[in-house]
Amino acid sequence: AEGLPLLAHLLAAEHVWLARLEGRDPRHPVWPSLTLGECDLLAAENDAGYRALLGGRGRAFLSESVGYRTGAGQE
């Protein structure tokens, strides 16, 4: 599908930010090669991850700093 690389990128970016918020390394690069089925699985994983993250933390979480490192490893 024509839009699949863009969909995979959007889902992977969500995944990368969730990993940053959780203080772990992401499993996917920002521009992954995913099938439609893999995109579906990653979308569900992202949804569950953000629900767990936001549901399990108080409002103070919204004011916490998050470490950021580029894909090249630069902080």
Side-chain angles (χ1 to χ4, degrees):
E2 282 184 34
L4 193 55
L6 182 57
L7 175 62
H9 168 66
L10 292 171
L11 293 169
E14 281 187 346
H15 165 77
V16 168
W17 274 106
L18 179 59
R20 286 177 181 145
L21 292 170
E22 293 177 335
R24 61 178 175 81
D25 291 331
R27 288 189 342 271
H28 297 284
V30 177
W31 284 100
S33 265
L34 301 176
T35 65
L36 189 55
E38 290 168 330
C39 284
D40 188 43
L41 290 173
L42 185 54
E45 180 183 309
N46 287 346
D47 180 60
Y50 279 105
R51 286 179 187 272
L53 179 72
L54 298 173
R57 309 207 36 197
R59 292 184 62 77
F61 165 71
L62 299 175
S63 63
E64 291 177 11
S65 295
V66 176
Y68 176 80
R69 182 171 286 148
T70 66
Q74 184 178 23
E75 288 199 33

